[in-house]
């Protein structure tokens, strides 16, 4: 091979082109997430710059680490010149204005991506963010897959970039997006695998050496691997299309993935609300973006009910099936609450929503709701579970609902009559067969001989909320997980869970007592804002049981303890009636003060970049301390490693001891490079071990031959036959062998040997042992 051809081959130009195309294939799905394609040309230019600079630097035989740093520097410089040029001093040096503009662009991008539905507008900030991410991805893919000769590991940054598009699409992504990325990644692997395989039969092959000639057989294995890779790819695509997809495990989705979300010029967006009946992910959501903003003009605060379910199967609640034939006609007047006696003192309360980000058909209101004013949007009502079904998006609305009269008491006889099982659907009284025995045993113990349904429900509620020793936690024990055989029994045993577990347990215990029960899903009342309104966020998601009580109808209870649960309603407070007194509940609390109209507030002062930096100082301090500790460790370990490797040479006295010390230096140095030390055998057998376990060129093999010959003479020849010159020559040969192995190792192995050598860890342990011996 001519010198110019050798330099071109060293640059890996074709491999760099494939890596660049793989990076761009990751960006292809972004064309569906962003409205304008203004980011495409800068992204292609940046990726091409990274690929071209990497090939040029490799052609010049620059060290791998310097190649990656050079690509990163050129990519960031081009990025700054494209988007931050006006803030650069003399068009080159970044200034404080550069940092401020970069922060402003990133803040703008974050605001757009959290606000707008796909496709989102491609503002300058969004374009900057996308191009920056693709530039860093290109550097990672090229450094790992081309410069580092590890194309398989390049799949990590490719997958990370691809998942950005997948997780924000909001619907199933077309399979060809995945096929293209997977095909490009496989092409990177096949391409470099072919280069290495075709090099094996050469005169100075370096990939393997030994009794078995590697040029025979690997081509068959390579073909088999390619076929297996293609079959795995096809199976993954077809399997994903054929297998059923599990529903999401959350119902408050605020990532602006729906098609009806905010559009330019509007003031509010929508939040998805899917009926999975388990708000665990929303309870962990740290976002403070409001789902609802509302005010209550009169009446007591209540949770905001959205939907309900009565079917519990296979250890989880099933979303209700709403057949259109079971719904009331469009905009029909809402019926009176079923089962509510006329002598129960109630008052009407008013609820006004100022901002709503729930997707239709969902609507959040207190219950029981008696009238809706939606401002032009239609609805239908499901009398089966008292749920409002919207027919379109609504940004604001008003509702009237019923409250027990302030200071009133329930009339006598509430809850005395047992429910007529024939008047309710079977699901409302169905027990989970797996946990039936555990539920029955606990319920009989808690309720005892109580016959009044209301008081029995209060006893169950109090046991779960206060008396039974249960604790609130989003982290479930394995026995209570939804995928186990008996999640209800597991919860009753571990006594740890969140609202779903508490509501489920109360529903089943009530059903055991013959009380129809179902589980409602919605939100807690939220928090009061400075202007007097209340805001509900995703983490306010909540579930609670609704029981049928004679005289009250469907009645809310609150068995969940802790701060992330609602207060029990007044009729569900514990009572201790005398034996000869008709049971009644405690008085209803006084009405809350109506929410005042919002008063204008002074606009907050604009934050400067110094304010942001000041807020970040604690975190930056901790990060700097961690980096300092890491830097000390990375400085100490190589020094300890060198001392450990050269221990035999330093303590040597005479040529024979120096030769043994040099052999110890060789074995420990090669161990740092991933070559296992040979067992204690003859020098010739150890020579064969190193030939078979390492990649050496001709100079390295000749040096290893001289090293083992010198070691053999030192062990078997007379001491007088050895000279200091032989020990010196062996030291030079040891360095030659180590350099030959290091030159053929992947960049990550070389980096590990330089920064975190195994000999350094051994030296650290040896130093600790010596210290403790003292």
């Amino acid at each position: 091979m001519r010198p110019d051809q050798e330099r071109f081959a060293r640059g890996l130009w074709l491999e760099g082109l494939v890596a660049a195309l793989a990076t761009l294939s990751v960006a292809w799905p972004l064309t569906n997430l962003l409205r304008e394609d203004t980011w495409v040309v800068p992204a292609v230019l940046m990726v091409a710059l990274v690929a071209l600079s990497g090939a040029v630097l490799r052609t010049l035989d620059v060290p791998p680490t310097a190649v990656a740093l050079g690509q990163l520097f050129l990519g960031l410089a081009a990025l700054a010149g494209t988007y931050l040029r006006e803030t650069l001093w003399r068009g080159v040096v970044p200034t404080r204005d550069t940092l401020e503009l970069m922060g402003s662009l990133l803040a703008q991008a974050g605001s757009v991506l959290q606000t707008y539905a796909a496709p989102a507008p491609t503002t300058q900030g969004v374009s900057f963010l996308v191009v920056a991410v693709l530039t860093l991805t290109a550097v990672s893919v090229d450094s790992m897959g081309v410069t580092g000769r590890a194309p398989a590991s390049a799949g990590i940054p490719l997958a990370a970039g691809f998942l950005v598009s997948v997780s924000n699409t909001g619907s199933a992504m077309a399979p060809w997006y995945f096929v293209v990325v997977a095909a490009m990644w496989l092409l990177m692997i096949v391409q470099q695998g072919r280069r290495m395989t075709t090099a094996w039969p050469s005169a100075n092959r370096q990939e393997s050496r030994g009794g078995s000639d590697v040029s025979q057989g690997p081509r068959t294995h390579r073909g088999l691997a390619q076929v297996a890779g293609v079959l795995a790819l096809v199976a993954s695509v077809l399997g994903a299309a054929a297998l059923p997809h599990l529903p999401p495990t959350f119902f408050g989705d605020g990532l602006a993935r729906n098609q009806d979300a905010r559009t330019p010029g509007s003031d509010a967006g929508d939040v998805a609300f899917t009926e999975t009946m388990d708000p665990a992910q929303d309870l962990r959501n740290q976002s403070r973006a409001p789902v609802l903003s509302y005010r209550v003009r009169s009446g007591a605060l209540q949770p905001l009910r959205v939907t309900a379910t009565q079917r519990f199967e296979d250890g989880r609640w099933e979303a209700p099936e709403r057949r259109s034939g079971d719904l009331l006609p469009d905009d029909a007047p809402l019926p009176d609450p079923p089962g509510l006696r006329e002598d129960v003192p109630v008052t009407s309360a008013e609820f006004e929503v100022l901002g709503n980000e729930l997707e239709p058909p969902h609507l959040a209101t207190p219950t029981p709701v008696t009238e809706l004013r939606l401002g032009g949007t239609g609805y239908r009502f499901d009398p089966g579970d008292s749920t409002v079904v919207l027919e379109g998006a609504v940004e604001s609305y008003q509702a009237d609902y019923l409250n027990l009269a302030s200071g009133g008491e329930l009339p006598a006889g509430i809850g005395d009559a047992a429910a007529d099982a024939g008047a309710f659907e079977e699901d409302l009284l169905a027990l989970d067969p797996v946990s039936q025995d555990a539920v029955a045993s606990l319920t009989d113990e808690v309720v005892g001989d109580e016959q009044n349904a209301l008081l029995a429900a209060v006893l169950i509620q109090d046991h779960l909320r206060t008396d039974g020793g249960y604790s609130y936690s989003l982290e479930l024990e394995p026995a209570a997980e939804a995928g186990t055989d008996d999640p209800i029994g597991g919860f009753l045993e571990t006594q740890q869970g969140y609202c779903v577990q508490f509501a489920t347990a109360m529903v089943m215990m009530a059903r055991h007592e013959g009380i129809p029960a179902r589980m409602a899903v919605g939100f807690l009342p939220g928090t009061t804002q400075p202007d007097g309104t209340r805001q509900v966020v995703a983490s306010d998601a909540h579930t609670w049981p609704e029981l049928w009580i004679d005289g009250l109808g469907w009645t809310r209870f609150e068995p969940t303890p802790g701060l992330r649960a609602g207060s029990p309603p007044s009729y569900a407070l514990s009572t201790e009636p005398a034996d000869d007194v008709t049971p009644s509940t405690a008085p209803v609390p006084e009405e809350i003060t109506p929410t005042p109209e919002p008063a204008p507030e002074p606009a907050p002062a604009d934050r400067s970049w110094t304010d942001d930096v000041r807020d970040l100082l604690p975190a930056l301090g901790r990060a700097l301390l961690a980096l300092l500790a890491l830097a000390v460790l990375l400085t100490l370990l190589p020094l300890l490693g060198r001392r450990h490797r050269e221990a035999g040479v330093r303590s040597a006295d005479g040529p024979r001891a120096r030769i043994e010390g040099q052999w110890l230096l060789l074995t420990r140095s090669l161990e740092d490079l991933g070559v296992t030390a040979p067992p204690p055998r003859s020098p010739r057998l150890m020579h064969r071990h190193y030939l078979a376990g390492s990649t050496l060129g001709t100079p390295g093999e000749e040096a290893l031959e001289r090293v083992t010959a010198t070691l053999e003479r030192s062990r078997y020849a007379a001491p007088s036959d050895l000279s200091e010159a032989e020990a010196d020559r062996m030291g030079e040969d040891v360095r030659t062998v180590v350099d030959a192995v290091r030159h053929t190792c992947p960049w990550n192995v070389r980096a590990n040997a330089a920064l975190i050598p195994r000999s350094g860890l051994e030296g650290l342990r040896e130093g600790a042992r010596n210290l403790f011996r003292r």
Side-chain angles (χ1 to χ4, degrees):
M1 181 181 293
R2 298 197 309 270
D4 56 341
Q5 292 178 331
E6 183 178 354
R7 285 195 298 272
F8 182 83
R10 188 168 61 231
L12 300 174
W13 290 77
L14 187 57
E15 285 84 346
L17 174 61
V18 175
L21 293 176
T23 302
L24 293 176
S25 68
V26 168
W28 183 22
L30 294 176
T31 56
N32 290 330
L33 296 178
L34 300 176
R35 190 174 304 152
E36 296 85 16
D37 293 336
T38 54
W39 60 274
V40 174
V41 173
V44 172
L45 293 177
M46 295 296 173
V47 173
L49 175 64
V50 170
L52 180 63
S53 60
V56 171
L57 292 173
R58 287 189 295 269
T59 301
L60 299 176
D61 202 19
V62 175
T65 303
V67 172
L69 293 176
Q71 289 175 299
L72 181 62
F73 174 79
L74 290 175
L76 294 179
L79 192 68
T82 303
Y83 292 95
L84 311 170
R85 182 185 310 146
E86 62 272 17
T87 65
L88 300 176
W89 182 68
R90 297 191 180 276
V92 178
V93 181
T95 63
R96 187 180 72 174
D97 293 338
T98 305
L99 296 178
E100 290 183 348
L101 178 57
M102 183 173 64
S104 176
L105 290 174
L106 293 176
Q108 181 193 80
S111 176
V112 169
L113 298 180
Q114 292 178 5
T115 301
Y116 291 92
T122 310
T123 63
Q124 186 79 351
V126 171
S127 180
F128 171 74
L129 175 63
V130 171
V131 175
V133 170
L134 287 176
T135 302
L136 296 177
T137 302
V139 173
S140 301
V141 172
D142 193 273
S143 300
M144 300 171 70
V146 184
T147 306
R149 311 296 203 279
S153 62
I156 298 174
L158 287 175
F162 184 71
L163 288 176
V164 172
S165 300
V166 173
S167 60
N168 287 280
T169 301
S171 59
M173 180 173 285
W176 49 78
Y177 291 118
F178 168 75
V179 170
V180 170
V181 176
M184 296 304 300
W185 177 58
L186 290 175
L187 181 59
M188 292 176 62
I189 297 176
V190 170
Q191 186 183 41
Q192 291 212 21
R194 182 181 182 85
R195 174 187 290 271
M196 290 186 294
T197 304
T198 53
W200 285 343
S202 62
N204 293 318
R205 62 185 183 269
Q206 298 183 357
E207 297 301 328
S208 182
R209 186 86 175 207
S212 300
D213 190 349
V214 296
S215 64
Q216 301 179 5
R219 293 183 182 273
T220 302
H221 294 304
R222 187 186 68 196
L224 178 61
Q226 294 172 358
V227 172
V230 172
L231 291 178
L233 178 61
V234 173
S236 63
V237 174
L238 296 180
L243 294 176
H245 292 262
L246 296 176
T249 58
F250 58 99
F251 64 75
D253 186 356
L255 296 180
R257 300 175 189 163
N258 58 85
Q259 294 298 325
D260 299 321
R262 184 180 300 181
T263 56
S266 65
D267 296 326
D270 294 328
V271 176
F273 191 102
T274 56
E275 295 171 293
T276 61
M277 301 303 161
D278 191 339
Q281 183 158 333
D282 287 282
L283 293 171
R284 298 184 178 94
N285 194 329
Q286 299 300 312
S287 172
R288 306 312 299 171
V291 177
L292 285 173
S293 298
Y294 71 95
R295 67 166 59 98
V296 177
R297 296 191 179 278
S298 62
L301 288 176
Q302 291 190 19
L304 308 181
R305 186 182 187 274
V306 175
T307 186
T309 182
Q310 60 196 40
R311 180 176 300 174
F312 187 85
E313 290 184 356
D314 299 327
R316 67 179 69 245
W317 289 101
E318 299 290 336
E321 297 180 3
R322 302 201 186 280
R323 295 181 291 270
S324 59
D326 296 334
L327 305 180
L328 298 184
D330 290 351
D331 300 327
L334 300 179
D336 293 333
L340 183 63
R341 277 175 26 181
E342 294 182 357
D343 57 345
V344 174
V346 294
T347 59
S348 181
E350 186 177 352
F351 169 81
E352 180 183 7
V353 172
L354 307 174
N356 173 43
E357 297 196 15
L358 285 181
E359 276 193 346
H362 304 293
L363 189 77
T365 64
T367 187
V369 61
T370 57
E371 186 178 351
L372 282 174
R373 296 177 290 279
L374 301 178
T377 301
Y379 70 89
R380 300 185 70 181
F381 187 74
D382 188 344
D385 60 6
S386 304
T387 297
V388 177
V389 181
L390 285 184
E391 296 181 344
V394 58
E395 294 184 2
S396 61
Y397 56 93
Q398 295 178 342
D400 294 340
Y401 64 100
L402 295 182
N403 259 331
L404 288 179
S406 175
E409 294 185 357
L410 295 179
I414 294 294
D416 284 346
D420 180 8
F424 297 91
E425 295 185 23
E426 293 182 1
D427 287 338
L428 290 169
L429 288 165
L431 288 168
D432 175 40
V434 179
S435 60
Q436 185 171 357
D437 292 342
V439 168
S441 176
L442 178 61
T443 307
D444 292 342
E445 177 184 345
V446 171
V447 176
D449 298 330
E450 181 59 62
Q451 298 298 315
N452 182 282
L454 177 58
L455 293 182
V458 171
L459 289 172
I460 296 172
Q461 172 190 267
D462 290 348
H463 171 78
L464 295 171
R465 185 178 176 88
T466 57
D467 301 340
Y470 294 79
S471 60
Y472 183 98
S473 175
L474 288 174
E475 303 301 326
L476 300 179
E477 296 293 338
E481 292 284 356
T484 58
D485 294 335
D486 184 11
I488 298 177
F491 165 69
L492 295 178
E493 178 182 352
T494 61
Q495 297 187 321
Q496 176 178 311
Y498 50 95
C499 55
V500 172
Q501 286 70 43
F502 285 94
T504 303
M506 183 165 182
V507 167
M508 293 303 165
M509 294 173 73
R511 290 179 180 181
H512 174 73
E513 288 295 304
I515 305 173
R518 64 194 184 197
M519 188 180 76
V521 181
F523 298 98
L524 293 171
T527 55
T528 303
Q529 303 303 302
D531 61 0
T533 62
R534 299 187 71 87
Q535 281 190 359
V536 172
V537 297
S539 59
D540 289 320
H542 190 48
T543 62
W544 61 89
E546 291 181 343
L547 278 56
W548 178 271
I549 304 297
D550 176 61
L552 293 179
W554 288 108
T555 307
R556 174 177 65 91
F557 290 87
E558 187 50 79
T560 305
L563 298 177
R564 298 185 73 170
S567 300
S570 59
Y571 52 77
L573 295 176
S574 300
T575 59
E576 296 293 341
D579 294 340
D580 57 348
V581 178
T582 303
S584 64
T585 61
V588 181
E590 295 295 325
E591 296 179 353
I592 64 170
T593 303
T595 304
E597 294 292 336
E601 294 183 353
D606 293 336
R607 290 176 58 87
S608 66
W609 71 274
T610 55
D611 296 327
D612 297 332
V613 172
R614 190 179 300 110
D615 293 342
L616 290 175
L617 282 179
L620 289 175
R622 291 191 293 269
L624 289 176
L625 287 177
L627 289 176
L628 180 61
L630 180 62
V632 170
L633 180 64
L634 294 181
T635 303
L636 183 63
L637 283 179
L639 296 177
L640 291 175
R642 181 175 181 178
R643 180 177 179 82
H644 183 68
R645 293 191 300 271
E646 296 176 350
V649 178
R650 288 196 311 272
S651 62
D653 183 14
R656 173 173 291 180
R658 287 185 59 195
I659 290 173
E660 290 291 342
Q662 293 289 354
W663 178 257
L664 183 62
L665 172 63
L666 174 67
T667 58
R668 290 178 175 176
S669 299
L670 294 184
E671 279 187 310
D672 288 344
L673 294 170
V675 181
T676 58
R681 296 178 181 175
S682 67
R684 294 185 181 182
L685 290 178
M686 291 189 290
H687 173 261
R688 294 177 185 175
H689 171 86
Y690 278 130
L691 283 179
S694 60
T695 302
L696 297 169
T698 301
E701 293 178 358
E702 293 174 351
L704 181 63
E705 180 73 30
R706 292 191 296 269
V707 166
T708 51
T710 302
L711 180 67
E712 189 174 34
R713 284 196 304 274
S714 72
R715 292 184 176 180
Y716 302 118
S720 59
D721 294 341
L722 300 176
S723 65
E724 294 290 342
E726 283 186 292
D728 293 337
R729 285 195 302 271
M730 183 173 179
E732 296 176 0
D733 289 333
V734 165
R735 286 190 291 273
T736 301
V737 173
V738 173
D739 289 341
V741 174
R742 181 182 292 110
H743 182 72
T744 58
C745 284
W747 68 271
N748 56 321
V749 175
R750 294 197 298 271
N752 189 74
L755 299 176
I756 315 176
R758 177 177 177 178
S759 57
L761 298 175
E762 291 291 339
L764 186 62
R765 284 192 287 266
E766 182 178 347
R769 287 194 296 267
N770 293 336
L771 181 63
F772 286 124
R773 286 195 191 103
R774 296 176 184 175

